[in-house]
Amino acid sequence: MSREFPETQLSVFAGLQGEDEVLRERSFERLLQAYYKPAYKHLRLKWRKSPEETEDLAQGFFLRVTERSTFSAFEPTRGRFRTFLRTCLDNFVLHQEEARQRLKRGSAFRVVSSDASEAEHELVANAGESVVDVFDREFVRNLMQRSVAQLGERMTASGRPIYFEVLKRYDLCDGTDEPTYASVAAELGIKSSDVTNYLHAFRLVQENLRDP
C-alpha cells in the first residue's frame, strides 16, 4: 500500500503555510491530487469504511490538517512524508471513532439524533431571525422544558401526579385560549374545586421548596 503514496513535494507544503491565498489554494489542490486517492484507498482497505464514510473522512481529514497546519510538523530527516501522512490519517480516524463511540454509549447520542430532526423543522419558523436571538431563545426554552420535566418527576414520585397535571393544563398551557378552572376540571374528570385546591397545595409546596 505504501507504493500508492507519492514522494513529498516540499514546495506544496511551503505554499500551504504561506500568506498568499491564491498560492495556498493551488497548493491545496496539488496536495489533493497527489494524496487524496492514496488516502481514500488506505481508509477503505485498513478501516473497512463504506464509500460514503470514506469520502467524508478523507475530505474531513484534509480540511482539518490544512486548517491546523498539521503538515508543518513534518521533518524530512525523520522519514518519508507518506508515512507521516498515514500516521496522521490513522490518528484522525481513531479520534473520530472514539468520539462516535462516546456518543453511542451515552444517552446524548439518542438526544442529539432526535433533537437534530426537530431543530431542522423549527429553523424554518425562525427564518429571518438573528443567530443570537434564536440561540438565546432555544437555550431558555430548553432550560424551562428540563425544569418542568424534573418538576413532574418529583410530583409523581411523591404520589401527587394529579397536582402536576392540573398545573400543566392551567399555568403551563401554551395554547391561544386561556384555560379556566372548569375547562381543566373537565379535561381531567375532576371538580373545579379540586383544581383550586390542587393549585393552592402545589404553590404551597413550591414555597416550602424555596425556604432554606
Side-chain angles (χ1 to χ4, degrees):
M1 194 185 309
S2 62
R3 288 194 302 272
E4 295 279 359
F5 284 78
E7 294 300 324
T8 306
Q9 300 179 36
L10 296 180
S11 61
V12 171
F13 307 128
L16 288 171
Q17 309 307 319
E19 297 182 358
D20 187 327
E21 183 175 352
V22 175
L23 180 58
R24 286 202 307 270
E25 291 180 358
R26 188 181 302 127
S27 297
F28 185 66
E29 290 176 359
R30 291 177 62 190
L31 178 72
L32 292 180
Q33 291 171 359
Y35 295 103
Y36 184 88
K37 188 177 290 185
Y40 183 96
K41 291 181 180 180
H42 181 76
L43 290 169
R44 289 282 283 144
L45 293 174
K46 179 173 180 176
W47 294 96
R48 304 294 181 182
K49 298 294 182 181
S50 68
E52 294 77 16
E53 290 175 315
T54 299
E55 186 174 5
D56 287 342
L57 282 170
Q59 292 178 0
F61 168 73
F62 282 105
L63 288 173
R64 175 73 64 84
V65 297
T66 302
E67 291 171 351
R68 298 189 175 185
S69 302
T70 303
F71 292 153
S72 63
F74 171 64
E75 297 181 10
T77 58
R78 301 183 62 179
R80 291 182 172 183
F81 177 76
R82 62 194 184 203
T83 302
F84 178 77
L85 186 144
R86 282 202 307 272
T87 300
C88 293
L89 182 59
D90 289 339
N91 287 337
F92 175 78
V93 177
L94 282 172
H95 291 155
Q96 296 296 311
E97 289 291 316
E98 289 171 359
R100 185 175 65 85
Q101 288 300 323
R102 284 197 299 271
L103 289 173
K104 195 171 183 178
R105 284 195 298 269
S107 60
F109 181 79
R110 294 187 293 275
V111 173
V112 168
S113 296
S114 61
D115 283 0
S117 177
E118 293 176 5
E120 287 296 327
H121 291 292
E122 293 166 358
L123 282 174
V124 176
N126 301 140
E129 297 186 37
S130 73
V131 174
V132 174
D133 287 344
V134 172
F135 179 87
D136 287 346
R137 187 176 59 257
E138 185 63 22
F139 175 80
V140 172
R141 187 173 71 88
N142 278 337
L143 182 62
M144 287 295 296
Q145 285 181 339
R146 290 197 302 272
S147 298
V148 169
Q150 290 173 359
L151 182 59
E153 291 172 358
R154 293 175 66 177
M155 297 305 293
T156 300
S158 66
R160 292 173 288 185
I162 188 65
Y163 288 54
F164 182 70
E165 289 301 321
V166 169
L167 176 78
K168 189 166 60 174
R169 285 168 170 76
Y170 188 78
D171 282 345
L172 303 179
C173 177
D174 57 2
T176 55
D177 298 329
E178 185 174 343
T180 63
Y181 284 8
S183 65
V184 172
E187 287 182 23
L188 296 175
I190 58 179
K191 296 181 293 185
S192 295
S193 58
D194 290 334
V195 174
T196 304
N197 293 333
Y198 290 149
L199 286 173
H200 177 68
F202 180 82
R203 286 159 186 160
L204 285 177
V205 171
Q206 281 185 307
E207 290 299 326
N208 292 333
L209 288 175
R210 291 194 191 103
D211 291 338

